[in-house]
């Protein structure tokens, strides 16, 4: 799991550990938040391992995957979740904001899938789940950089699923709508009411609701699902 220190990543780490899986997660810098996730999982049957690694760094992804093999005895699935937003109309968007969002969200996707897939091919089994967004399906005002990465992840998932299906590996995406995490806190208050009004079920999603969908895609029950995008958005994009 990349980006497991808070939000959807944290909820997924805890849901998997509670279900008895050993889970490793990466975080970028907040050691205290990472430690807190490990503490929250104490008492669960699964082991939880926190690894400091920047999603943008391929060498760090390779060594994180090696640590998982060494310390947890193998890697059954990878969840590519680390993501950032830097919203602004394109006409005002600095080149750096484009580059940063591509580097974390899309290069990070390559890094962890690439680092994990070789071992999965060798094992003839594996699960890859990308945390995309409805922003990649419908587009969102001011998110041209973010939407490009989230649509990119969906293309990535569809292509890779064709490459690795013959090796027993599934590759899917989840596409959350508006979920109540730190990303939501970055949305200006004057825009929040309009967003809530556009969600048919009339509320934000919870990180645990996305975690449950990810856990399902990682489970044996989802063995025949690949190249798919599971939308979790309270009806927003339908
Ligand atoms: P969040 O900001 O609460 O958490 C993001 C996580 O990613 C954190 O653990 C952070 O440390 C990690 N991260 C960020 N940059 C990193 C880097 N360079 N290297 C390593 N880790 C890094 O966000 P969230 O809302 O939990 O979002 C998680 C994923 O879900 C993202 O990919 C986001 O695009 C996607 N998503 C979120 C929403 C939403 O409404 N919250 C909706 C759709 C999709």
């Amino acid at each position: 799991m990349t980006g497991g220190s808070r939000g959807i990543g944290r909820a997924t780490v805890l849901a998997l550990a509670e279900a008895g899986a050993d889970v490793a997660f990466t975080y970028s810098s907040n050691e205290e938040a990472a430690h807190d996730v490990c503490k929250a999982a104490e008492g669960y049957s699964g082991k939880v391992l926190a690894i400091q690694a920047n999603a943008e760094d391929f060498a760090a992804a390779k060594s994180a995957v090696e640590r998982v093999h060494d310390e947890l005895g193998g890697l059954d699935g990878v969840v590519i979740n680390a993501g950032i937003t830097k919203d602004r109309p394109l006409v005002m968007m600095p080149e750096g904001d484009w580059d940063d969002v591509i580097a974390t969200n899309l290069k990070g996707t390559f890094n962890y899938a690439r680092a994990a897939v070789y071992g999965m091919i060798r094992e003839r089994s594996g699960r890859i789940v990308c945390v995309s967004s409805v922003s990649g399906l419908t587009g969102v005002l001011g998110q041209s950089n973010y939407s490009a990465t989230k649509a990119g992840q969906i293309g990535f998932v569809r292509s890779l699923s064709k490459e690795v299906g013959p090796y027993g590996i599934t590759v899917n995406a989840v596409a959350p709508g508006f979920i109540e995490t730190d990303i939501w806190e970055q949305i200006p208050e004057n825009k929040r009411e309009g967003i809530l009004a556009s969600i048919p079920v009339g509320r934000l999603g919870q990180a645990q609701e996305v975690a449950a969908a990810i856990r399902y895609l990682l489970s044996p029950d989802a063995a025949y699902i690949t190249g798919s995008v599971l939308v979790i958005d309270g009806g927003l994009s339908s």
Side-chain angles (χ1 to χ4, degrees), residues 36-50:
D36 183 64
V37 178
C38 297
K39 237 178 125 36
E42 277 171 11
Y44 291 156
S45 47
K47 259 193 262 170
V48 174
L49 170 68

PDB file of all heavy atoms in Angstrom, residues 36-50:
ATOM      1  N   ASP A  36       1.413   5.938  14.251  1.00  0.00           N
ATOM      2  CA  ASP A  36       0.046   5.884  14.780  1.00  0.00           C
ATOM      3  C   ASP A  36      -0.778   4.777  14.084  1.00  0.00           C
ATOM      4  O   ASP A  36      -1.601   4.114  14.717  1.00  0.00           O
ATOM      5  CB  ASP A  36      -0.597   7.263  14.571  1.00  0.00           C
ATOM      6  CG  ASP A  36      -1.982   7.319  15.164  1.00  0.00           C
ATOM      7  OD1 ASP A  36      -2.074   7.184  16.390  1.00  0.00           O
ATOM      8  OD2 ASP A  36      -2.959   7.458  14.400  1.00  0.00           O
ATOM      9  N   VAL A  37      -0.536   4.590  12.773  1.00  0.00           N
ATOM     10  CA  VAL A  37      -1.245   3.524  12.046  1.00  0.00           C
ATOM     11  C   VAL A  37      -0.826   2.159  12.626  1.00  0.00           C
ATOM     12  O   VAL A  37      -1.670   1.290  12.881  1.00  0.00           O
ATOM     13  CB  VAL A  37      -0.945   3.575  10.530  1.00  0.00           C
ATOM     14  CG1 VAL A  37      -1.637   2.434   9.792  1.00  0.00           C
ATOM     15  CG2 VAL A  37      -1.386   4.911   9.937  1.00  0.00           C
ATOM     16  N   CYS A  38       0.488   1.992  12.827  1.00  0.00           N
ATOM     17  CA  CYS A  38       0.985   0.713  13.379  1.00  0.00           C
ATOM     18  C   CYS A  38       0.373   0.464  14.752  1.00  0.00           C
ATOM     19  O   CYS A  38      -0.038  -0.649  15.074  1.00  0.00           O
ATOM     20  CB  CYS A  38       2.510   0.719  13.477  1.00  0.00           C
ATOM     21  SG  CYS A  38       3.313   0.877  11.883  1.00  0.00           S
ATOM     22  N   LYS A  39       0.289   1.526  15.555  1.00  0.00           N
ATOM     23  CA  LYS A  39      -0.287   1.395  16.915  1.00  0.00           C
ATOM     24  C   LYS A  39      -1.769   1.015  16.836  1.00  0.00           C
ATOM     25  O   LYS A  39      -2.248   0.159  17.581  1.00  0.00           O
ATOM     26  CB  LYS A  39      -0.143   2.737  17.635  1.00  0.00           C
ATOM     27  CG  LYS A  39       0.618   2.616  18.934  1.00  0.00           C
ATOM     28  CD  LYS A  39       0.781   3.956  19.591  1.00  0.00           C
ATOM     29  CE  LYS A  39       0.258   3.995  21.004  1.00  0.00           C
ATOM     30  NZ  LYS A  39       0.368   2.897  21.860  1.00  0.00           N
ATOM     31  N   ALA A  40      -2.475   1.648  15.881  1.00  0.00           N
ATOM     32  CA  ALA A  40      -3.922   1.382  15.745  1.00  0.00           C
ATOM     33  C   ALA A  40      -4.182  -0.072  15.344  1.00  0.00           C
ATOM     34  O   ALA A  40      -5.263  -0.610  15.597  1.00  0.00           O
ATOM     35  CB  ALA A  40      -4.531   2.336  14.719  1.00  0.00           C
ATOM     36  N   ALA A  41      -3.169  -0.689  14.710  1.00  0.00           N
ATOM     37  CA  ALA A  41      -3.351  -2.079  14.244  1.00  0.00           C
ATOM     38  C   ALA A  41      -2.934  -3.104  15.300  1.00  0.00           C
ATOM     39  O   ALA A  41      -3.091  -4.307  15.082  1.00  0.00           O
ATOM     40  CB  ALA A  41      -2.565  -2.302  12.954  1.00  0.00           C
ATOM     41  N   GLU A  42      -2.391  -2.607  16.426  1.00  0.00           N
ATOM     42  CA  GLU A  42      -1.996  -3.550  17.488  1.00  0.00           C
ATOM     43  C   GLU A  42      -3.236  -4.320  17.949  1.00  0.00           C
ATOM     44  O   GLU A  42      -4.305  -3.733  18.110  1.00  0.00           O
ATOM     45  CB  GLU A  42      -1.392  -2.786  18.685  1.00  0.00           C
ATOM     46  CG  GLU A  42       0.072  -2.464  18.480  1.00  0.00           C
ATOM     47  CD  GLU A  42       0.619  -1.525  19.544  1.00  0.00           C
ATOM     48  OE1 GLU A  42      -0.065  -1.285  20.554  1.00  0.00           O
ATOM     49  OE2 GLU A  42       1.739  -1.024  19.328  1.00  0.00           O
ATOM     50  N   GLY A  43      -3.110  -5.602  18.074  1.00  0.00           N
ATOM     51  CA  GLY A  43      -4.279  -6.397  18.475  1.00  0.00           C
ATOM     52  C   GLY A  43      -4.939  -7.068  17.280  1.00  0.00           C
ATOM     53  O   GLY A  43      -5.696  -8.015  17.436  1.00  0.00           O
ATOM     54  N   TYR A  44      -4.689  -6.553  16.081  1.00  0.00           N
ATOM     55  CA  TYR A  44      -5.188  -7.241  14.883  1.00  0.00           C
ATOM     56  C   TYR A  44      -4.275  -8.429  14.595  1.00  0.00           C
ATOM     57  O   TYR A  44      -3.092  -8.420  14.956  1.00  0.00           O
ATOM     58  CB  TYR A  44      -5.214  -6.302  13.672  1.00  0.00           C
ATOM     59  CG  TYR A  44      -6.246  -5.195  13.763  1.00  0.00           C
ATOM     60  CD1 TYR A  44      -6.080  -4.022  13.039  1.00  0.00           C
ATOM     61  CD2 TYR A  44      -7.379  -5.326  14.555  1.00  0.00           C
ATOM     62  CE1 TYR A  44      -7.024  -3.004  13.099  1.00  0.00           C
ATOM     63  CE2 TYR A  44      -8.323  -4.313  14.627  1.00  0.00           C
ATOM     64  CZ  TYR A  44      -8.137  -3.150  13.901  1.00  0.00           C
ATOM     65  OH  TYR A  44      -9.071  -2.154  13.963  1.00  0.00           O
ATOM     66  N   SER A  45      -4.803  -9.407  13.863  1.00  0.00           N
ATOM     67  CA  SER A  45      -3.960 -10.588  13.650  1.00  0.00           C
ATOM     68  C   SER A  45      -2.864 -10.348  12.600  1.00  0.00           C
ATOM     69  O   SER A  45      -1.830 -11.002  12.627  1.00  0.00           O
ATOM     70  CB  SER A  45      -4.817 -11.804  13.308  1.00  0.00           C
ATOM     71  OG  SER A  45      -5.755 -11.463  12.327  1.00  0.00           O
ATOM     72  N   GLY A  46      -3.082  -9.397  11.677  1.00  0.00           N
ATOM     73  CA  GLY A  46      -2.059  -9.133  10.652  1.00  0.00           C
ATOM     74  C   GLY A  46      -0.954  -8.223  11.176  1.00  0.00           C
ATOM     75  O   GLY A  46      -1.192  -7.358  12.010  1.00  0.00           O
ATOM     76  N   LYS A  47       0.283  -8.453  10.663  1.00  0.00           N
ATOM     77  CA  LYS A  47       1.423  -7.581  11.016  1.00  0.00           C
ATOM     78  C   LYS A  47       1.361  -6.317  10.168  1.00  0.00           C
ATOM     79  O   LYS A  47       0.951  -6.384   9.003  1.00  0.00           O
ATOM     80  CB  LYS A  47       2.719  -8.300  10.629  1.00  0.00           C
ATOM     81  CG  LYS A  47       3.428  -8.956  11.776  1.00  0.00           C
ATOM     82  CD  LYS A  47       4.835  -9.364  11.357  1.00  0.00           C
ATOM     83  CE  LYS A  47       4.885 -10.816  10.968  1.00  0.00           C
ATOM     84  NZ  LYS A  47       6.088 -11.295  10.352  1.00  0.00           N
ATOM     85  N   VAL A  48       1.801  -5.191  10.692  1.00  0.00           N
ATOM     86  CA  VAL A  48       1.831  -3.957   9.896  1.00  0.00           C
ATOM     87  C   VAL A  48       3.243  -3.379   9.915  1.00  0.00           C
ATOM     88  O   VAL A  48       3.845  -3.210  10.970  1.00  0.00           O
ATOM     89  CB  VAL A  48       0.805  -2.923  10.421  1.00  0.00           C
ATOM     90  CG1 VAL A  48       0.952  -1.601   9.678  1.00  0.00           C
ATOM     91  CG2 VAL A  48      -0.619  -3.448  10.252  1.00  0.00           C
ATOM     92  N   LEU A  49       3.766  -3.099   8.725  1.00  0.00           N
ATOM     93  CA  LEU A  49       5.134  -2.603   8.572  1.00  0.00           C
ATOM     94  C   LEU A  49       5.094  -1.252   7.848  1.00  0.00           C
ATOM     95  O   LEU A  49       4.518  -1.150   6.758  1.00  0.00           O
ATOM     96  CB  LEU A  49       5.915  -3.631   7.731  1.00  0.00           C
ATOM     97  CG  LEU A  49       7.297  -3.283   7.222  1.00  0.00           C
ATOM     98  CD1 LEU A  49       8.285  -3.174   8.388  1.00  0.00           C
ATOM     99  CD2 LEU A  49       7.780  -4.363   6.237  1.00  0.00           C
ATOM    100  N   ALA A  50       5.671  -0.215   8.464  1.00  0.00           N
ATOM    101  CA  ALA A  50       5.705   1.120   7.848  1.00  0.00           C
ATOM    102  C   ALA A  50       7.072   1.341   7.194  1.00  0.00           C
ATOM    103  O   ALA A  50       8.103   1.069   7.797  1.00  0.00           O
ATOM    104  CB  ALA A  50       5.463   2.181   8.912  1.00  0.00           C
TER     105      ALA A  50
END
